[in-house]
Amino acid sequence: MTGTGPTPVFPTGLQNGVSAPTFDVVFIHGLSGDRFRTWTAKDGAFWPQWLADEFDNINVYLAGYDSAAFAGILLGSGASIKISQQHSQTD
C-alpha cells in the first residue's frame, strides 16, 4: 500500500495524537510487507495500535512505500536502463 505520508495511529476511541509527546514511534515495513499487514499478528492484534493504547505519552505512525518495486529492483526484475544506439548518417 502506498500513501502520501505517515499514517497516524490514535489510541482507541480518540481522534488525535498526543499534543506534546515524549517521543514519536514510526513503524517502517520491510521489502516484502506493507504498512498494515507487516504489523498485524496472526490473531489480528495490530502492534502499533497496542502501543498507542498502552502508552499515553507517545505518538505512533506507520510509514509505507511500494515495496514490490524496490524488491523487484533488488532481485533484478525491476527498473533497468536500456541503452539504445542511434546511427546517424552524415551528408
Side-chain angles (χ1 to χ4, degrees), residues 2-10 25-28 35-36 60-64:
T2 60
T4 58
T7 302
V9 178
F10 303 129
V25 177
V26 180
F27 286 83
I28 305 171
R35 69 175 78 194
F36 296 104
V60 178
Y61 298 94
L62 306 172

Side-chain angles (χ1 to χ4, degrees), residues 20-49:
T22 303
F23 58 91
D24 294 325
V25 177
V26 180
F27 286 83
I28 305 171
H29 62 82
L31 290 177
S32 63
D34 68 34
R35 69 175 78 194
F36 296 104
R37 287 183 306 200
T38 297
W39 310 113
T40 303
K42 291 180 183 179
D43 67 358
F46 188 52
W47 292 43
Q49 188 65 61

Side-chain angles (χ1 to χ4, degrees), residues 9-12 14 18 23 46-58 60:
V9 178
F10 303 129
T12 301
L14 298 180
V18 178
F23 58 91
F46 188 52
W47 292 43
Q49 188 65 61
W50 170 80
L51 204 61
D53 289 345
E54 189 68 24
F55 300 96
D56 60 2
N57 60 333
I58 66 171
V60 178

Side-chain angles (χ1 to χ4, degrees), residues 42-91:
K42 291 180 183 179
D43 67 358
F46 188 52
W47 292 43
Q49 188 65 61
W50 170 80
L51 204 61
D53 289 345
E54 189 68 24
F55 300 96
D56 60 2
N57 60 333
I58 66 171
N59 283 327
V60 178
Y61 298 94
L62 306 172
Y65 57 93
D66 185 359
S67 62
F70 287 105
I73 291 169
L74 293 176
L75 295 172
S77 61
S80 64
I81 299 173
K82 294 182 179 180
I83 301 173
S84 65
Q85 295 180 355
Q86 289 185 339
H87 300 284
S88 63
Q89 297 179 358
T90 56
D91 294 78

